[in-house]
Amino acid sequence: MNKKSRSGSIYVSIFGAIVLGFGIVELVVIGTTGMEGVGWGPLEMSGMWLWWTGIIFVSAGIMYLSSATNFMDIRQLAKSVVASIMVWIVAGMAIFNKVASSIPGGETWVNSPRDFLAGCGPPYTPAIYLLPLSLVIIYFIRQRRRAS
């Protein structure tokens, strides 16, 4: 196993465990509190899509963890790419939700720019925090392309 494959395996194992953990926590939160959800500082878990994001994160976490052995093999890398795409879709949905919910105003039809930016601030869902960490897969794709 070369150095890049080993570092990729370590990264994907740790990140997969984090994604799997967030998925399990989301399923526990929706099971105990319902759609009201919970918030811990800058982290929020609520909404009617919490079941689906929990299921998607559990699936993505399992896919990341299963791709950790012999990581630079094309099949294992493809599993990680699919898991990353799942995280990207959920994160894109969360970003769109945050932006779209910040547009309507209370007394007016549209918020002022200041209120819009305040509405786009924290707390965020786990998907938004996982998004930049999942983009590391692009580095491993480029490394694989250079190696072949």
Side-chain angles (χ1 to χ4, degrees), residues 2-70:
N2 64 14
K3 189 175 183 178
K4 292 200 183 346
S5 179
R6 185 168 182 212
S7 64
S9 294
I10 292 169
Y11 181 80
V12 168
S13 297
I14 293 169
F15 186 62
I18 292 170
V19 172
L20 181 65
F22 272 129
I24 291 170
V25 168
E26 285 191 350
L27 291 175
V28 167
V29 165
I30 193 76
T32 57
T33 65
M35 285 192 292
E36 296 85 31
V38 294
W40 299 290
L43 183 66
E44 153 186 74
M45 294 183 190
S46 63
M48 64 186 255
W49 299 108
L50 201 55
W51 275 111
W52 290 111
T53 58
I55 291 169
I56 290 169
F57 283 163
V58 166
S59 301
I62 290 170
M63 290 176 76
Y64 276 126
L65 290 173
S66 70
S67 69
T69 58
N70 195 14

Side-chain angles (χ1 to χ4, degrees), residues 37-133:
V38 294
W40 299 290
L43 183 66
E44 153 186 74
M45 294 183 190
S46 63
M48 64 186 255
W49 299 108
L50 201 55
W51 275 111
W52 290 111
T53 58
I55 291 169
I56 290 169
F57 283 163
V58 166
S59 301
I62 290 170
M63 290 176 76
Y64 276 126
L65 290 173
S66 70
S67 69
T69 58
N70 195 14
F71 179 68
M72 291 307 275
D73 178 48
I74 191 71
R75 290 166 197 83
Q76 304 295 43
L77 189 60
K79 277 195 246 180
S80 292
V81 169
V82 170
S84 294
I85 290 171
M86 292 166 71
V87 171
W88 298 341
I89 290 170
V90 173
M93 182 183 69
I95 291 170
F96 177 75
N97 180 30
K98 195 66 147 167
V99 170
S101 65
S102 298
I103 294 173
E107 299 159 4
T108 59
W109 280 44
V110 178
N111 264 334
S112 66
R114 180 184 217 182
D115 291 337
F116 172 77
L117 291 176
C120 288
Y124 299 118
T125 63
I128 295 175
Y129 292 112
L130 293 173
L131 177 63
L133 299 174

